[in-house]
Structure formats: structure tokens, C-alpha cells
Amino acid sequence: MVQPAPLQFLPLPTSISPSFWHRLTSLKLHHLGLDDKSVPIKGCYSLGRTVHDKLTGDSVGISGSLELDEGSFDLDVGDGTSAPSPHRDHFVLRGVLRNYNTIEEFKRADKAKLLSDLGDQIWSAIRHPSPETTLADLNPFLMITFADLKKYRYCYWCAIPALVQKPGWEIVEGWRKCDEPALEQIDASVALLSADGVTAPLHAFATFWARTPPEERTLVFNDPSSHPTALGWSVRNALTFLAHSPSPLDPPVHRLHIISRREGKTLSCVVRLPESVEEALTVRPAVVGWEKNDAGKLGPRMADLAPLMDPTRLADQAVDLNLQLMRWRILPSLDLDKIKKTRCLLLGAGTLGCYVARTLMAWGVRKMTLVDSSTVSFSNPVRQPLFEFEDSLEGGKPKAAAAAAALKRIYPGVDATGVSLSVPMPGHPIPPSSLESVRADVIKLDQLFEEHDVVYLLMDSRESRWLPTVMGAAKEKLVINVALGFDTFLAMRHGLPPSSDAPILAPSPGSPFRGKLGCYYCNDVVAPQDSLTDRTLDQMCTVTRPGIAAIASATAVELMVS
Amino acid sequence: MVQPAPLQFLPLPTSISPSFWHRLTSLKLHHLGLDDKSVPIKGCYSLGRTVHDKLTGDSVGISGSLELDEGSFDLDVGDGTSAPSPHRDHFVLRGVLRNYNTIEEFKRADKAKLLSDLGDQIWSAIRHPSPETTLADLNPFLMITFADLKKYRYCYWCAIPALVQKPGWEIVEGWRKCDEPALEQIDASVALLSADGVTAPLHAFATFWARTPPEERTLVFNDPSSHPTALGWSVRNALTFLAHSPSPLDPPVHRLHIISRREGKTLSCVVRLPESVEEALTVRPAVVGWEKNDAGKLGPRMADLAPLMDPTRLADQAVDLNLQLMRWRILPSLDLDKIKKTRCLLLGAGTLGCYVARTLMAWGVRKMTLVDSSTVSFSNPVRQPLFEFEDSLEGGKPKAAAAAAALKRIYPGVDATGVSLSVPMPGHPIPPSSLESVRADVIKLDQLFEEHDVVYLLMDSRESRWLPTVMGAAKEKLVINVALGFDTFLAMRHGLPPSSDAPILAPSPGSPFRGKLGCYYCNDVVAPQDSLTDRTLDQMCTVTRPGIAAIASATAVELMVS
């Protein structure tokens, strides 16, 4: 007599869509933070298929895989049985995801224990079945990950654990092509079938088969395998369940007719357990199931999404990421969205203007308008970090427009505009011939104030700050004022009354001054006047220690952000 | 009888070469500073010429002008008479320059008084002649200027004062073309001539003409005028001198034969003073002489050199200017040349590296080498002020090279190099396969230390600072160490023993530690180890408040400069 062939099972490979990683990124960034607890997920597989290769005339089998995508985090399917799968012939498994915070933690994770724990869970479901035990309960999967959000690289490893019955099932008869039984009305991925076409769910096997002759006990299952002589992985624990779950059946389920439902070509076979099998194991069998990687070895895989992504979008996300990361541990209360939406008006696009714009951009501010009336001079680029030598040629480009263009070159996602405009100053009489253009400038300035939330005063004289200070107070805008000395600087925040429009600062409503802070001119007894005309070269704004502007600008932006 | 025609004088125009302004710029920047005292200068003129226009067949007169150039500040000609002029037929006048510190001071200067003071000086030379009084003594000129060194624009106004004799000289005979007398042997621009061809200098007129008949008194002068009926301006005060300088001559010099020596066409005429003239004036006559500008009005002129200059050189000077200006008033002791020549090695071209490089460039440092092993990522440009979005595409450019290229785009005069290199770190074992490349990196690093004066540690981990700290101590380099926390930073200067090589810091020789300061590891009990591998995303170097790097970098550069 020929030795019966052992029944074999085809592992269920996983197939992870990029959208799964995008959802994980978002979850990690905005919700999980440093939390590495298990997150419930789900995956689904479809039937194995056999397709006809038109070229060779051969039949080619295509096995199903466990697919994870953006929907894998949406567990609205509840316990996985009551609600129908989203698609017919798509069968859901439930799992957990553990995302480690560092690649070292990922590497150090005790994979044997992780698998063993799941084995215990499956064994428990077998030995202490609930009245609703399903195939999904017997096939919980596991995914461990390390997500390098900076590089869009995801290290991961999946396991679909299976208990190893020893001795295992043997094929008694098979394989035969058979007609598909009429199972359209049930969605469960495994069902019991009686000779007269009646079906029952897996967990009801003891009562359902109580009066069925042992040779007519039939299991139908939706098989992801397309292999001609192997069953899909997901039925393996179901067979162990039938053999070892406590039941009054006599004889126990040691022989079974299996119908492997596949797309286009359903197979059947008869399997049995050898006589020697113990009826009730007291020790959990060994468990296997870690997936092999592309090299055919037991080990993690890497998903690299960066090459798939649009560079502008990548930059957008990368910029946000550095800011969002602050919220994980150090500054959970940081309202980055508020900062991002703050519209900033920068009066002056010189050393201060350039540094403030850079710092605002690094903080995530997207809307900036720079105002300046002068052009880039030869000495500017080495000190004003938005200009290059090229900008100073042929008389120099207008500073405001050149600065806005540079901001866009640095980060295409910024909405930066440059406006060439002179702010009228006390002590500087307006010649009658310029009256019209000054009037137009004031109207434009007024409009710019209306269109922005925060106004930065980054000019090079005291008197030029006067009109914007008054306008800021009148229009109740947050005004940040920065001025440089030679090795000193001032960075101050002007007052803003409590208002729902206040983008950042909301002073205490109980303040007797309605939350108003002072302004640059509050403590001054000297009216602003012309300080520009009659000064020596070394009294000009450019004569400062080169590092002061960077320090003052960063400090000023802190006044807005914090 | 026809009314005799009054003798007319052609004003001597000034002609200022760009080289004059360059010398003035240098003088102001490096020597004068805010000093606005009078500076002695000189100018020279040549003979008026008559040239033949080949096209029209006409003769065209070309009058000389008072030319000022880079040599105008070199007063090696002493008193202007003893030493010969640099060129034959070039005649020197001496003057003073007053450079005002602001355009307002220039405008406010009392021009009438300035001219009047010079008039007094001339009158004094006439009434109280020294035994050596020359034509130059009678024709001191004045130049007032405001030099806008930032824009290479020079506002200026010259005066060559002349006393107005009333009534003035009249032409009795003239004009006649005459042969040039044999004066080759004398260089003075004016000379007395006797009938037998003997000459004498101007100041000797009383004795020379003591026995000469009044109608034979002849004055020969090198005339810048080419006008057919007007003498050059410089002879005007000489005639006043002859008429009004105290002398025993009888009759006094009220009639004179003048030979106007011109190139190619020497003229002569006879002039006299009306009978009515008083022999010895007691009151100084009025004075005229401010030059008319191009619009034909009495007013200043503007020289704009910027369009003439090479942009790279302009940028070079403009950058230096802002630094030099510090020395006028606030920091006279600042040794900019030392800073400029300091060769800086920047280990790390990230946020810190970019900001430090920018600040160094603004301080005038010209030689920088940036070292980094990584490439520009999408999140870098908004925080690292030497990169643009473009640099992060296609995997990202190498940071060191990209940063060096940006520095050159900003300021072509910088000598910036990028080196891609990894600094070996304790706690990070070297796989045998990398041994050769690590060895090459260390050799290169060693060489870089040798080639630079100051080393900046601008990396993102503690352990990467270890080897450069040790190398810096061994090679006695000034080491500046900068490290960021989330909202904190460290900027420290490592020790350097007193040595003549010390580019900036020279600690007191009396120090028991030979001037050595501590280093980053001095107070540490924990050996550097791998802090990079096992860390979460929000523990990475990029999670800092965006403004801190700018503040830390500027502070670090101060540690070197101050």
C-alpha cells in the first residue's frame, strides 16, 4: 500500500498597498506619536484563480494574498463575521499592528514570543471555543513595523500563525475537480455542508454533524490557494479546530471531505488524521507563520515609498513632519495648524526681513507678503539670506519681489508675494509731485493690513515704524517689532485686544486694558522725526555685528509662535 | 577813441579721474573714518592746445583743465616749486579737500565763507609775500565732497578762487601770434622775461624789473586757455599780485606785456590798469571761483562710479565696507584682516553649518571648507539656509558641495569647498568592508585640520564630536562647538594654547594651563557612544524650535570673532 501523502498548505502572502503606509504615517504622526501599543487592523484575501495563458495555452494559477490598504485601519466590520465583507469573494482576516519607535526596537523585538503569544490565542480559541468562533478568530495575523517617516521607508514583517499538528492530515482521496456547491447565500469563508446541501457555520460542527455519518462530513471553504495539490493557509487552523476542539462527536473529526472553492476551478479531496493521533492534546502544538521576504528568507521587508511620490508633496510632508514631531513629546499643545494659517506681512525685506521670513517658513507659515521699496545692493547677499550676487547686478532687483521668489525656490509650497512700496514717515515731507503715489502706497498698505493677521516691522529707521504701529493698533493686528543696534536688538510684541480674530495671542479677558500691550512709542517722549538724512555712513542700519539680525529675527518669531 | 576791451579770463575746469575717487574711498575707509579735517591734495593742468580738424579744416581750441587722479593725494612734490612736475608742461596747483560725513553737512557747509577764507589767504600772500611766493601759492584750490561709499557716488564741488580787481585790466594791444620765447630751462608756470631773454621767477619782480623800462616788463606764462581772446584763470591772481604786492617799483606794474604760452600757438598782448586804480588796496577785493556744474549753474556735481566698476569687485568692496565701518567709531580695534584670513573648517553642513557659514561670510571670512556625508532631503531647505527645493530632488545633492556652491552664488569672492566625508564615531563599529574608506576619510580629515585655523563642530550627535575634539586639541586648533537641544543650545570654544599660529585667540601666557580652555568632554563622565541608532523620530536632531539654530550659529561665530 502506498504511503498516503501529507496534506500541504500554501502560505498566504501579504500584499501591502502604498495607501496603507500613508495611513500609517498619518496615524503615527497625528495620533500614535510615541505610543507603540498594538493597533487593530484587518486584511482581506480573494479566491485563488486559474487563468488561461493565451500565448502558451497553459493554465496559470494565481493565488490570493492578504491585502492591506488604507481601509485596513477602518474596523467598521466589527467582529469580522456579522458585517459582510466590502466585496463579495473578499474574505477578511483581523490582525494587530505593532509599530516600533526605532529600528533597533524593531530588530530587538522577540519574534518567537510574538508568534507564540498568537499561537496561545489560537489554541485558546480551539480549546475554549465561543459559540461564535469563526475562521478569522482562528487566523489572527500580526504585523510589526518601523516607519521612517522622514524617508518614507517602512520596515515590516508579517506573520499569519498556524499550529503545526503532529502527525498531520493525510490525503486519502484527491484531487478532483468538482462543481461548486450552492453557497452563494453565505459569506463566511468556511462552512460545513451536509449531503443534502444544508450549510452551517464552523463553530456549530458538533451539533451539525451529530447525526451525519463520518464519511459525509464536508467542509467547504473559500480557498486563496490556486495550487493544484495544496490548500490555502487559512484552513489549516480550522482543521486543527475541528480535530481538537472539545466536542461530544463520536467518532471525532478525524476524516473529512474538503471542498476547496476557487475561482473557475473548485477542487475536492478527502483527508484524515492517522490513527495514532491523540484525541485531545493538552499541550499547544508548535506554531509557524512568519513570512519569508523576497530573498526567500525569514526576515523583514522594506517598503520605500519616496520614489513613488511627487517631490513637491514630499517636501510639503517633510516640512510638516519636523514640526509635528515636536508635538509627540515636548510640546503636545502646539497648534501647528494655527501657525500654518497665520498670514504674515513683513514690512522690510532686508537683513531682518530675510531672516524673519526664513524662520517663519521653518515654523510652517505658508502665506507671507514682503514689502520693501529698495533694490538689492552688492553688500546685501552676504547678510540678507534670501539674495544672491546675481540679484545685485544691473542696479539690483527689487528686494520684495526677489525675496518672495527666493522663498518659492526654497519651498514651492509657500504663498509669498513681494510688494514694492514706501511707507510714509514722519519728518520726511512729501513733495507735491509725489502726493499721488504716496496716497496710492497708503491705500495699498491699508489693504495689506486687512489681508494679514500679523505684521512684522523690520525697517531700518525709527520713524518708518510709526505709521504701521498706528495702523496695527487701529486694525487690531498683532504687530511684532524688531530693531537692531550695533550689538543690541529689540524684539517686541505690540498689543492686541482679545478678539476671536486674534490668530495667536489671546490675552486674558480680565485685563483692565482689554489685553492691550504697549507699543514701540508708548514710553517715548520724542516724536519720530527724520533720522535718516543727516547721518554718517557708519550710522546706517547696516553697521551691526553680522550675527545680531539672525538672533533678533528668530527671537521675534518666537514672540508670535509662543 | 575805442573803449579798451576788458581782459578776460577763462575759468579752469576741473577733471576728476575715477582713480581719484578710489583713493578717496580708501583714505576715508581706512584712515579718515569720521574725521572731516582738510586734506591737502594737488592737481595739475597742461597747456591749452589748438588742433586742426581734418574734416572741416578749422582750428579747434582745447583748453587745459585741472586734473585730479590717484596721484593727487601724493604730496611728494613738496611746496610745489622745488621739485619738478611729474611731466613737462604739466603744472601743479595745490589745494585742500574737505570730505563731509553726511550729505546734509555737505549741503550746510558755508560756501561763501570757505571761498572767502581762501581769498584771505591769497590776499595775504599778495600783501605779505614770502621770498618764494609762486603761482601755486596764489592759486590754492578747494574741493568739498560727500562720498557715499556704499553706492560709489561722490558729490563734490571745486573752487579755484580769484580776486576780482576793480577796475580790472584792459587790453591795449593784442592779440598777436608770437614765437615762443626760449623758456625750456624753467619749469615754473609763470616767469618774468627781460628784453634780452633773461628770466626770473614771479616773486622777484621788484628787483628784476627795477631797471627795466615799464613798457618792456614782460610776463610769460604757461596758459591752460586755448581761447583766442582770454587768458587762463591761473594768471589772474598773478596779475593782482604784480599790481598790489608792496614793491618799491616806480611806476608800479600797471602795464604789462603778456606772453600766453600755448601748445602750437603762443599769443601775446599788452594790458594795463586804468589810471584810476589805487596803488595799494587796503581792503581785500571780492573773490569768485566756485565751479559751475554741467547745468551751467553754481552747484555741486555728482560722480557715479558704480556703472564703471566690475560687479564682482563692487560686491567685494561693498561687503568689506560694512565691516570696515564698524571700526570708525564702535570697534576701532577690530582686526578685520585677521578675520578675513582665518581659514574655517565646518564639520557638518546642516542647519548649523549653513547658518555658521552665512555668518562667517558676513563677517568677511573668505576661506571655508564644509564637510558632510549626507544629501539634501526634502525637509532641509526650509531650515538650512543654503539649500533650495531643487537641491533635494532626485535623491538630493551632496550637502557639502551644494552648500559650497550656494556660498559662491551668494558671494563670488568666497573660497568655499565641499567635502563629502564621514567622521568616524565611538560606539559605531566599522565593518571590515569599510575599513579602507574610513581610513581614507581619517587621512583626509587630518589634512583638512592642517589646512585650516578654526574648526567648527556642527554635527548632530555627541559621539561625532569626539574625534574632531581630540584632533583639534592635538593640532592646537581653535575649535568652536555648537549643539542644539529642542529649545536650548550650547556654543563653546575649546582651548587653544598660546601660540603665534593662534589666529584669533591668544590666551594670557601666565595661565597655569598654558591658556588651554576645557572641551566638550572635560566635565563628562559618560564615554561617547552610539546615540543615533536607537532613537525615535522625534529624538532626531531636526526636532528643535526652528529659530534656535540661527541664534546658536551667530553666537558661535561671535566666540571666534570677539
Side-chain angles (χ1 to χ4, degrees):
Chain A
M1 182 183 161
V2 183
Q3 186 76 12
L7 177 61
Q8 289 188 312
F9 302 94
L10 188 74
L12 183 62
T14 57
S15 164
I16 325 282
S17 141
S19 67
F20 176 86
W21 300 118
H22 287 304
R23 275 292 296 272
L24 174 61
T25 301
S26 169
L27 184 73
K28 169 87 177 157
L29 197 52
H30 301 293
H31 300 287
L32 291 180
L34 291 168
D35 194 344
D36 60 0
K37 67 157 187 262
S38 295
V39 175
I41 54 173
K42 68 180 184 190
C44 68
Y45 59 88
S46 47
L47 294 182
R49 290 183 292 149
T50 303
V51 296
H52 196 71
D53 186 331
K54 283 179 182 164
L55 220 59
T56 62
D58 293 343
S59 287
V60 181
I62 301 177
S63 295
S65 56
L66 185 65
E67 289 166 12
L68 286 86
D69 57 21
E70 76 269 36
S72 294
F73 295 93
D74 299 326
L75 298 183
D76 54 354
V77 296
D79 63 2
T81 52
S82 55
S85 318
H87 307 286
R88 201 178 143 65
D89 287 345
H90 276 71
F91 311 99
V92 170
L93 291 187
R94 282 168 292 146
V96 291
L97 176 145
R98 279 197 71 171
N99 182 51
Y100 293 95
N101 274 306
T102 71
I103 187 71
E104 286 300 303
E105 283 181 32
F106 177 91
K107 287 182 191 164
R108 279 199 305 263
D110 186 341
K111 280 86 183 176
K113 180 164 189 317
L114 286 168
L115 195 64
S116 171
D117 287 350
L118 274 183
D120 289 347
Q121 183 184 324
I122 296 163
W123 188 240
S124 170
I126 289 171
R127 298 297 294 162
H128 312 287
S130 88
E132 298 288 333
T133 298
T134 64
L135 188 73
D137 294 324
L138 299 174
N139 283 290
F141 68 94
L142 171 70
M143 180 178 207
I144 61 172
T145 55
F146 166 68
D148 184 345
L149 305 190
K150 294 182 98 69
K151 298 197 174 123
Y152 300 91
R153 288 164 67 96
Y154 305 85
C155 187
Y156 69 100
W157 200 358
C158 294
I160 307 177
L163 300 180
V164 183
Q165 274 183 277
K166 276 193 178 167
W169 297 86
E170 296 166 349
I171 296 182
V172 183
E173 294 170 23
W175 299 72
R176 259 179 290 182
K177 190 165 183 305
C178 73
D179 290 335
E180 193 173 325
L183 290 180
E184 282 74 13
Q185 66 274 31
I186 65 159
D187 294 306
S189 46
V190 68
L192 311 178
L193 182 71
S194 71
D196 51 5
V198 178
T199 63
L202 184 69
H203 62 83
F205 76 97
T207 45
F208 187 70
W209 281 336
R211 278 176 303 273
T212 304
E215 61 279 10
E216 289 181 14
R217 293 171 183 166
T218 304
L219 180 80
V220 187
F221 93 108
N222 295 306
D223 195 344
S225 168
S226 68
H227 195 280
T229 61
L231 294 179
W233 195 256
S234 54
V235 82
R236 187 167 183 174
N237 287 339
L239 294 179
T240 309
F241 174 80
L242 291 173
H244 295 293
S245 193
S247 88
L249 278 185
D250 185 26
V253 187
H254 285 183
R255 181 189 170 91
L256 202 55
H257 181 211
I258 297 178
I259 297 178
S260 157
R261 194 169 165 255
R262 303 174 180 199
E263 197 175 315
K265 187 185 188 184
T266 290
L267 298 178
S268 79
C269 63
V270 176
V271 299
R272 70 155 192 223
L273 283 175
E275 299 294 325
S276 62
V277 80
E278 290 172 45
E279 285 179 23
L281 289 178
T282 51
V283 177
R284 193 210 72 192
V287 60
V288 295
W290 283 110
E291 189 172 13
K292 288 180 178 170
N293 60 20
D294 297 335
K297 292 183 176 166
L298 285 171
R301 290 166 190 245
M302 180 67 78
D304 185 356
L305 260 59
L308 305 177
M309 294 176 72
D310 167 46
T312 309
R313 205 175 142 225
L314 275 177
D316 210 38
Q317 296 186 356
V319 167
D320 268 3
L321 175 63
N322 276 333
L323 294 166
Q324 294 286 356
L325 288 174
M326 289 190 209
R327 302 177 60 228
W328 282 8
R329 196 169 343 213
I330 308 175
L331 269 184
S333 63
L334 186 64
D335 190 344
L336 287 169
D337 214 44
K338 208 177 228 178
I339 294 173
K340 192 169 178 173
K341 287 182 181 152
T342 302
R343 300 163 302 170
C344 292
L345 178 63
L346 281 63
L347 301 182
T351 311
L352 289 172
C354 287
Y355 271 113
V356 165
R358 278 201 175 267
T359 313
L360 286 174
M361 191 160 59
W363 268 109
V365 169
R366 291 290 170 265
K367 164 81 180 166
M368 276 182 256
T369 304
L370 295 115
V371 173
D372 205 300
S373 64
S374 67
T375 54
V376 180
S377 78
F378 286 114
S379 66
N380 292 157
V382 300
R383 296 202 178 206
Q384 306 187 356
L386 291 174
F387 305 127
E388 298 182 348
F389 175 63
E390 197 73 19
D391 298 321
S392 63
L393 294 179
E394 291 162 24
K397 294 183 186 162
K399 276 188 167 179
L407 289 170
K408 283 185 208 152
R409 282 202 308 274
I410 294 162
Y411 178 55
V414 76
D415 174 13
T417 316
V419 176
S420 281
L421 181 153
S422 283
V423 175
M425 299 182 281
H428 296 252
I430 300 161
S433 60
S434 313
L435 214 56
E436 270 318 299
S437 76
V438 171
R439 206 189 302 275
D441 280 355
V442 171
I443 290 169
K444 179 70 182 167
L445 192 62
D446 188 274
Q447 180 196 336
L448 288 172
F449 265 75
E450 292 293 342
E451 292 167 359
H452 293 80
D453 306 306
V454 178
V455 182
Y456 281 85
L457 309 187
L458 309 167
M459 301 91 132
D460 58 359
S461 78
R462 183 165 169 267
E463 60 264 36
S464 60
R465 299 165 198 274
W466 184 81
L467 182 61
T469 296
V470 174
M471 288 172 80
K475 292 178 183 295
E476 304 196 337
K477 299 288 177 181
L478 180 60
V479 174
I480 310 274
N481 185 18
V482 194
L484 297 184
F486 170 67
D487 49 10
T488 56
F489 68 91
L490 169 145
M492 71 181 292
R493 184 162 77 171
H494 288 194
L496 186 75
S499 117
S500 56
D501 296 326
I504 305 292
L505 170 73
S508 65
S511 159
F513 300 105
R514 292 180 55 236
K516 279 202 179 185
L517 303 177
C519 85
Y520 188 46
Y521 296 98
C522 273
N523 295 317
D524 248 331
V525 289
V526 185
Q529 60 186 5
D530 183 356
S531 69
L532 298 177
T533 314
D534 197 7
R535 60 181 179 178
T536 63
L537 280 177
D538 70 334
Q539 287 169 332
M540 292 175 76
C541 60
T542 45
V543 182
T544 71
R545 292 185 90 90
I548 299 296
I551 296 175
S553 301
T555 307
V557 174
E558 282 292 333
L559 289 183
M560 177 186 100
V561 172
S562 54
Chain B
M1 183 183 160
V2 184
Q3 185 76 12
L7 177 61
Q8 290 188 314
F9 302 93
L10 188 73
L12 184 62
T14 57
S15 165
I16 326 282
S17 142
S19 67
F20 177 85
W21 301 118
H22 287 305
R23 275 292 296 272
L24 175 61
T25 301
S26 169
L27 185 73
K28 168 85 177 158
L29 199 51
H30 301 293
H31 300 288
L32 291 182
L34 291 169
D35 194 344
D36 59 0
K37 68 160 187 258
S38 294
V39 175
I41 56 173
K42 69 179 184 191
C44 68
Y45 59 88
S46 47
L47 295 181
R49 292 182 292 148
T50 303
V51 295
H52 197 71
D53 186 330
K54 284 179 183 165
L55 219 59
T56 60
D58 294 342
S59 287
V60 180
I62 301 178
S63 296
S65 56
L66 185 65
E67 289 167 12
L68 286 86
D69 57 20
E70 75 272 33
S72 294
F73 295 92
D74 299 327
L75 298 183
D76 54 354
V77 294
D79 62 3
T81 52
S82 54
S85 319
H87 307 285
R88 200 179 143 65
D89 287 344
H90 275 70
F91 311 99
V92 169
L93 292 187
R94 283 167 291 145
V96 291
L97 177 143
R98 279 196 70 172
N99 182 50
Y100 293 93
N101 274 305
T102 72
I103 185 71
E104 288 300 303
E105 283 180 34
F106 177 90
K107 287 183 191 165
R108 278 200 304 263
D110 187 342
K111 281 86 183 176
K113 180 162 188 317
L114 286 168
L115 195 64
S116 171
D117 287 350
L118 274 184
D120 289 345
Q121 183 184 324
I122 295 164
W123 187 240
S124 170
I126 289 172
R127 298 298 296 165
H128 311 287
S130 88
E132 297 289 334
T133 298
T134 65
L135 188 72
D137 295 321
L138 299 175
N139 284 290
F141 68 94
L142 171 70
M143 181 178 207
I144 61 173
T145 55
F146 166 68
D148 184 345
L149 305 189
K150 295 184 97 69
K151 299 200 173 120
Y152 300 93
R153 288 164 66 95
Y154 305 85
C155 187
Y156 70 100
W157 199 358
C158 293
I160 307 178
L163 300 181
V164 182
Q165 274 184 277
K166 275 193 180 168
W169 297 84
E170 295 166 349
I171 298 182
V172 183
E173 294 170 22
W175 298 72
R176 259 178 291 185
K177 190 167 186 299
C178 73
D179 289 337
E180 195 173 324
L183 291 179
E184 281 75 13
Q185 67 273 30
I186 65 156
D187 293 306
S189 46
V190 67
L192 312 176
L193 183 70
S194 71
D196 54 3
V198 177
T199 62
L202 185 67
H203 61 82
F205 76 98
T207 45
F208 187 69
W209 280 336
R211 278 175 305 274
T212 305
E215 62 278 10
E216 288 182 13
R217 292 171 183 166
T218 303
L219 180 80
V220 185
F221 94 108
N222 296 306
D223 196 344
S225 167
S226 67
H227 194 280
T229 61
L231 294 177
W233 195 255
S234 54
V235 82
R236 188 168 181 174
N237 288 338
L239 293 180
T240 308
F241 174 80
L242 292 174
H244 295 292
S245 194
S247 87
L249 279 185
D250 185 26
V253 187
H254 284 181
R255 181 189 171 91
L256 201 56
H257 180 213
I258 299 178
I259 296 177
S260 159
R261 194 171 164 254
R262 304 175 179 197
E263 196 175 317
K265 186 187 188 183
T266 289
L267 297 178
S268 80
C269 62
V270 176
V271 300
R272 70 156 190 221
L273 281 176
E275 298 296 323
S276 62
V277 79
E278 292 170 44
E279 286 181 20
L281 288 178
T282 50
V283 178
R284 192 208 75 192
V287 58
V288 296
W290 282 110
E291 191 172 13
K292 288 182 178 170
N293 61 21
D294 296 335
K297 293 185 177 167
L298 285 171
R301 291 167 189 246
M302 179 69 77
D304 184 358
L305 261 60
L308 304 177
M309 293 175 73
D310 168 43
T312 309
R313 204 175 143 226
L314 274 178
D316 210 38
Q317 296 187 354
V319 167
D320 268 3
L321 174 63
N322 277 332
L323 295 166
Q324 295 286 356
L325 288 175
M326 289 191 212
R327 304 178 58 230
W328 283 7
R329 198 170 342 213
I330 309 175
L331 270 182
S333 63
L334 185 66
D335 190 346
L336 287 169
D337 214 45
K338 208 177 225 177
I339 294 174
K340 191 169 177 171
K341 286 183 181 151
T342 303
R343 301 163 301 169
C344 293
L345 177 63
L346 279 62
L347 301 181
T351 310
L352 288 172
C354 288
Y355 271 113
V356 165
R358 277 201 176 265
T359 312
L360 287 174
M361 190 160 59
W363 268 108
V365 170
R366 292 290 170 265
K367 165 82 180 165
M368 277 182 256
T369 303
L370 295 114
V371 173
D372 205 299
S373 64
S374 68
T375 54
V376 181
S377 79
F378 286 113
S379 66
N380 292 158
V382 300
R383 296 202 178 208
Q384 306 187 356
L386 290 174
F387 306 126
E388 296 182 351
F389 175 64
E390 197 73 19
D391 297 322
S392 63
L393 294 179
E394 290 162 26
K397 294 182 185 160
K399 276 188 166 179
L407 289 171
K408 284 184 207 151
R409 281 202 309 274
I410 294 164
Y411 178 55
V414 76
D415 174 12
T417 317
V419 177
S420 281
L421 182 153
S422 283
V423 175
M425 299 181 280
H428 295 251
I430 300 161
S433 60
S434 313
L435 215 54
E436 270 317 299
S437 74
V438 171
R439 205 187 304 275
D441 281 354
V442 171
I443 290 168
K444 178 71 183 168
L445 191 63
D446 189 273
Q447 182 196 335
L448 288 172
F449 265 74
E450 293 292 343
E451 292 166 358
H452 292 80
D453 307 305
V454 178
V455 182
Y456 281 85
L457 309 186
L458 309 167
M459 301 91 132
D460 58 358
S461 77
R462 182 164 171 269
E463 59 264 37
S464 60
R465 298 163 199 275
W466 184 81
L467 182 60
T469 295
V470 173
M471 288 172 80
K475 291 178 185 295
E476 304 195 340
K477 299 289 177 180
L478 179 61
V479 175
I480 309 274
N481 185 18
V482 194
L484 296 184
F486 170 68
D487 48 11
T488 56
F489 68 91
L490 169 145
M492 72 182 291
R493 184 162 76 170
H494 289 193
L496 186 76
S499 118
S500 57
D501 295 326
I504 305 291
L505 171 72
S508 65
S511 159
F513 300 105
R514 291 182 56 236
K516 278 204 182 185
L517 303 178
C519 85
Y520 188 47
Y521 296 98
C522 272
N523 296 315
D524 249 332
V525 291
V526 185
Q529 59 186 6
D530 183 355
S531 69
L532 297 178
T533 314
D534 197 7
R535 61 180 176 177
T536 63
L537 279 177
D538 70 334
Q539 287 169 332
M540 293 175 75
C541 61
T542 47
V543 182
T544 71
R545 294 185 87 91
I548 299 297
I551 294 176
S553 301
T555 307
V557 174
E558 282 291 332
L559 289 182
M560 176 186 101
V561 172
S562 55

